[in-house]
């Protein structure tokens, strides 16, 4: 097998690259280990808790025992399926804040400032505002990725935004537009009642072209000869073979598997490679380092009225929702139920939001287990820019072994202060008049947890990953010893090899990572095609005028 461009991983960025390269007439071959994304379990938005907990769709990785979280091993879901993690995620669409991308550029990723990336966000989107406000000039109108909003008919969903306003925070019509800070409607990658994954948006149209093909196989390593990538070694049907690349190999296998694949190929920290008997081809100490994530807590409140989704959390209710969705792609099954958002600053002196809220009109966990109290609601809350850093390292030289994943969560003292702030600010929002008709007792952390030590105990035992790993093949200047790829996503020290997924983020963005991951695919595709980047824009984002002196 041979193609001009060989892409490893049919995930968020890989699908976007395949689409743009095929559109330009290039011969593209996509390697994906996972299986089909067809069927209601993945395509029905309300069923989101199922695929990320199924071996069929998830790689099944866990962290090493986390030293600051009582040695807990946290699950690290990554999509092993067509569409990658965009096929098993919560479908929440957050570009990130303008300042995130300016920080990328300032730290060595030249050409990736907000002015540079905003045109790519616009190119990839078709935005449907649903009548909930926002300025279309900030959004895309003709891209492959449809972005919509839920109906927001549940009174709790509206109460959350009103409570934010009553607590003194701004209300924003579009956090992906000019003003992220504030409370307002969530955007989602849902279209006509279905999950609009990278597979639906990009890969299926690409595969309709004669010059794009998909190979179901397991990538073992990148073949590098005389300092340049010439193909990918794969195993398929019990046989090991090489897929040859005439022009380039593009690794888009996730922030966990991309650094693993580089290290198996001889690109990484030389001493670590030697430990596993791998001959270093390019000594890049940054491969696998700089691992970041978002952590979150569920602040859960009992509800005094039966207005929550718990009314449907039984066999009959689920059957009714499923039947309506199967027949018409409408009803509760057509929403991820995350329909109201909040982005706030934790304290005065922070110039843009560093806390995110996901509101849900039911008290439930990601594995689908509801709170024993029955009717309730919750806010997922967590800090956006932890200073804690972890690493991905090889467990062995066997490609079939998962790597070691150590996030080193909560290793920075500021993390504890930030999470206590998150809990207290959430409690204040839930205490507003907008929730008065619905508010019962606090389910968790519970009224008994008030002191710093009591909150820290709750955080230590209950904090969960928001499943936003990134940063392990950092993009930066060639002179930066910890950079893995240059600002065109080319692996430093190896020709004809790029990495393009969330692993190249220098620092984690503000919010969920699917949107910026797809944007990376869109922008890197232009670099691969040697096109001039889209012209930068001068749209200035809203920054709170009194951020230096006030928290809201």
């Amino acid at each position: 097998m041979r193609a001009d461009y060989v892409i490893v991983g049919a995930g968020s960025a890989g699908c976007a690259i395949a689409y743009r390269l095929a559109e330009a007439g290039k011969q593209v071959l996509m390697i994906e280990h996972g299986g089909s994304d067809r069927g209601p379990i993945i395509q029905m938005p309300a069923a989101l808790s199922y695929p990320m907990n199924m071996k069929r769709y998830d790689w099944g990785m866990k962290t090493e025992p986390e030293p600051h979280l009582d040695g807990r091993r946290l699950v690290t879901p990554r999509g092993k399926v067509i569409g990658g993690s965009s096929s098993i995620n919560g479908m929440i669409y957050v570009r990130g804040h303008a300042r995130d991308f300016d920080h990328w550029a300032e730290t060595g990723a030249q050409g990736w400032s907000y002015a540079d990336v905003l045109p790519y966000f616009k190119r990839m989107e078709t935005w449907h505002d649903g009548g909930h406000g926002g300025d279309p000039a900030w959004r895309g109108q003709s891209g492959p990725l449809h972005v919509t909003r839920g109906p927001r008919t549940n009174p709790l969903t509206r109460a959350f935004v009103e409570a934010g306003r009553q607590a003194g925070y701004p209300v924003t019509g579009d956090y992906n537009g000019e003003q992220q800070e504030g409370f307002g409607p969530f955007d989602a990658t849902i279209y006509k009642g279905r999950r609009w994954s990278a597979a639906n948006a990009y890969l299926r149209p690409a595969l309709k072209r004669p010059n794009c093909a998909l190979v179901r196989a397991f990538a073992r390593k990148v073949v590098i000869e005389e300092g340049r990538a010439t193909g990918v070694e794969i195993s398929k049907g019990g046989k090991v073979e090489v897929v040859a690349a005439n022009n380039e190999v593009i690794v888009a296998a996730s922030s966990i598997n991309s650094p693993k694949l580089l290290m198996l190929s001889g690109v990484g920290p030389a001493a670590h490679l030697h430990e596993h008997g791998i001959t270093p081809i390019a000594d890049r100490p940054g491969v696998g380092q700089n691992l970041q994530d978002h952590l979150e807590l569920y602040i859960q409140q009992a509800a005094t009225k039966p207005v929550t989704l718990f009314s449907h959390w039984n066999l009959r209710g689920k059957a009714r929702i499923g039947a309506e969705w199967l027949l018409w792609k409408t009803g509760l099954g057509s929403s991820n139920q995350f329909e109201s958002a909040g982005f706030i600053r934790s304290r005065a002196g922070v110039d843009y939001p560093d806390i995110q809220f996901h509101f849900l009109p039911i008290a439930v966990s990601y594995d689908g287990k509801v709170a024993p109290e029955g009717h309730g609601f919750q806010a997922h809350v967590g800090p956006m820019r932890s200073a804690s850093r972890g690493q991905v390292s090889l467990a062995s030289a066997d490609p079939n072994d998962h790597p070691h994943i150590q996030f080193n969560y909560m290793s920075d003292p500021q993390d504890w202060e930030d999470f206590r702030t998150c809990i207290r600010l959430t409690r204040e929002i839930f205490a507003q008049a907008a929730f008065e008709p619905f508010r019962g007792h606090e389910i968790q952390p519970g009224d008994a947890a008030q002191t710093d030590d009591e909150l820290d105990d709750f955080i230590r035992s209950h904090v969960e990953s928001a499943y936003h790993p990134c940063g392990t093949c950092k993009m930066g200047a060639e002179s930066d010893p910890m950079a893995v790829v240059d600002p065109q996503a080319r692996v430093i020290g190896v020709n004809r090899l790029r990495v393009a997924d969330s692993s190249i983020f220098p620092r984690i963005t503000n919010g969920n990572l699917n949107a910026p991951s797809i944007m990376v695919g869109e922008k890197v595709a232009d670099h691969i095609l040697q096109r001039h980047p889209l012209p930068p824009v001068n749209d200035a984002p809203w920054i709170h005028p009194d951020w230096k002196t006030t928290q809201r």
Side-chain angles (χ1 to χ4, degrees):
M1 286 183 283
R2 176 180 290 276
D4 294 338
Y5 295 92
V6 177
I7 303 170
V8 181
S12 299
C15 289
I17 293 170
Y19 177 93
R20 295 301 178 189
L21 296 185
E23 180 185 57
K26 305 300 181 185
Q27 193 184 16
V28 180
L29 198 149
M30 171 84 79
I31 299 167
E32 171 56 50
H33 184 45
S36 172
D37 64 334
R38 295 191 184 275
I41 289 292
I42 279 182
Q43 297 299 331
M44 183 166 82
L48 65 92
S49 67
Y50 295 103
M52 71 172 66
N53 291 292
M54 294 172 69
K55 285 182 181 176
R56 179 177 173 185
Y57 300 125
D58 172 41
W59 283 88
M61 293 182 279
K62 282 189 171 182
T63 70
E64 297 301 296
E66 287 289 343
H68 304 280
L69 299 180
D70 287 342
R72 286 196 289 144
R73 297 188 70 193
L74 274 63
V75 293
T76 309
R78 293 291 87 195
K80 187 180 70 175
V81 59
I82 302 300
S85 295
S86 77
S87 290
I88 67 167
N89 69 0
M91 290 155 283
I92 291 166
Y93 184 85
V94 183
R95 287 172 168 179
H97 196 280
R99 290 279 170 96
D100 292 326
F101 303 104
D102 289 342
H103 179 269
W104 286 13
E106 288 158 12
T107 54
Q110 261 193 319
W112 290 80
S113 71
Y114 185 62
D116 298 309
V117 302
L118 181 55
Y120 287 95
F121 280 119
K122 289 184 179 183
R123 182 172 88 176
M124 70 197 227
E125 291 175 352
T126 293
W127 183 60
H128 308 262
D129 73 355
H132 296 299
D135 180 357
W138 284 78
R139 306 302 296 268
Q141 307 301 322
S142 57
L145 191 74
H146 288 275
V147 179
T148 64
R149 291 174 168 183
R152 308 185 75 232
T153 52
N154 189 290
L156 293 167
T157 297
R158 298 193 300 273
F160 183 67
V161 175
E162 177 59 17
R165 189 191 66 77
Q166 290 171 349
Y169 296 102
V171 170
T172 178
D174 181 10
Y175 63 79
N176 279 317
E178 181 179 9
Q179 181 178 332
Q180 186 190 66
E181 187 168 341
F183 288 73
F186 251 134
D187 279 348
T189 48
I190 298 170
Y191 183 49
K192 293 183 176 177
R194 292 171 59 211
R195 174 190 292 272
W196 203 246
S197 64
N200 285 332
Y202 288 98
L203 188 58
R204 289 203 164 83
L207 290 174
K208 287 177 181 172
R209 297 177 181 273
N211 55 324
C212 184
L214 175 69
V215 175
R216 301 270 174 79
F218 177 68
R220 294 169 52 85
K221 68 174 184 176
V222 179
V223 179
I224 301 171
E225 297 171 346
E226 297 176 359
R228 61 180 192 161
T230 59
V232 179
E233 183 181 283
I234 61 169
S235 59
K236 179 175 168 61
K239 288 191 336 193
V240 174
E241 54 187 298
V242 172
V243 178
N246 297 330
N247 295 351
E248 289 191 23
V249 172
I250 300 117
V251 176
S254 83
S255 56
I256 309 298
N257 280 325
S258 289
K260 172 192 162 186
L261 197 62
L262 289 187
M263 288 187 278
L264 290 172
S265 310
V267 181
H272 179 58
L273 301 186
H274 279 304
E275 282 173 27
H276 295 289
I278 298 168
T279 303
I281 291 170
D283 180 11
R284 300 308 304 174
V287 175
Q289 302 300 306
N290 193 44
L291 176 61
Q292 300 161 62
D293 192 14
H294 290 139
L295 283 175
E296 62 183 15
L297 289 167
Y298 308 158
I299 310 302
Q300 296 181 327
Q301 197 87 28
T304 55
K305 291 183 179 177
V307 294
T308 79
L309 299 177
F310 182 72
S311 302
H312 310 279
W313 213 263
N314 53 63
L315 207 56
R316 182 180 293 174
K318 289 180 180 179
R320 192 182 298 119
I321 290 167
E324 181 177 353
W325 184 83
L326 284 167
L327 287 169
W328 300 293
K329 302 294 183 285
T330 58
L332 288 172
S334 65
S335 170
N336 59 1
Q337 307 308 330
F338 290 108
E339 296 181 355
S340 285
F343 292 89
I344 65 172
R345 293 174 296 112
S346 60
R347 58 192 180 277
V350 175
D351 60 343
Y352 69 101
D354 59 344
I355 292 174
Q356 180 184 11
F357 294 101
H358 301 68
F359 181 77
L360 203 55
I362 186 172
V364 67
S365 59
Y366 262 133
D367 61 7
K369 292 175 182 165
V370 295
E373 277 87 344
H375 281 287
F377 51 92
Q378 70 190 35
H380 301 203
V381 64
M384 289 290 97
R385 293 188 291 282
S386 167
S388 295
R389 295 291 182 271
Q391 63 179 12
V392 172
S393 55
L394 292 177
S396 78
D398 184 347
N400 296 301
D401 288 345
H402 288 323
H404 285 148
I405 306 166
Q406 184 84 71
F407 282 96
N408 213 16
Y409 290 126
M410 305 297 290
S411 56
D412 191 280
Q414 186 66 42
D415 293 338
W416 297 92
E417 187 178 326
D418 289 346
F419 259 108
R420 292 192 292 266
T421 299
C422 285
I423 295 169
R424 288 169 173 146
L425 291 176
T426 308
R427 283 172 161 170
E428 183 190 10
I429 290 162
F430 280 172
Q432 298 300 313
F435 279 113
E436 193 67 41
F438 313 108
R439 186 175 54 245
H441 67 280
E442 184 176 286
I443 299 170
Q444 73 171 35
D447 294 333
Q450 296 294 337
T451 67
D452 285 2
D453 286 346
E454 288 164 347
L455 293 181
D456 286 352
D457 286 344
F458 172 74
I459 293 163
R460 196 175 292 109
S461 57
H462 286 81
V463 77
E464 296 286 346
S465 170
Y467 311 140
H468 300 161
C470 65
T472 50
C473 298
K474 185 181 87 158
M475 174 169 53
E478 286 195 48
S479 57
D480 178 354
M482 295 306 288
V484 177
V485 301
D486 71 8
Q488 291 195 32
R490 297 174 296 206
V491 173
I492 300 165
V494 183
N495 293 324
R496 303 191 350 178
L497 177 62
R498 295 188 208 237
V499 178
D501 54 26
S502 65
S503 66
I504 74 169
F505 293 9
R507 189 174 73 177
I508 197 164
T509 53
N510 214 15
N512 312 63
L513 300 194
N514 186 232
S517 298
I518 295 173
M519 180 277 291
V520 162
E522 285 270 8
K523 192 170 187 302
V524 171
D526 274 5
H527 291 308
I528 294 167
L529 292 166
Q530 298 182 342
R531 289 176 172 165
H532 289 295
L534 296 178
V537 294
N538 294 314
D539 300 346
W542 185 88
I543 300 289
H544 196 295
D546 302 318
W547 67 267
K548 289 182 180 176
T549 54
T550 61
Q551 182 258 333
R552 64 189 87 170

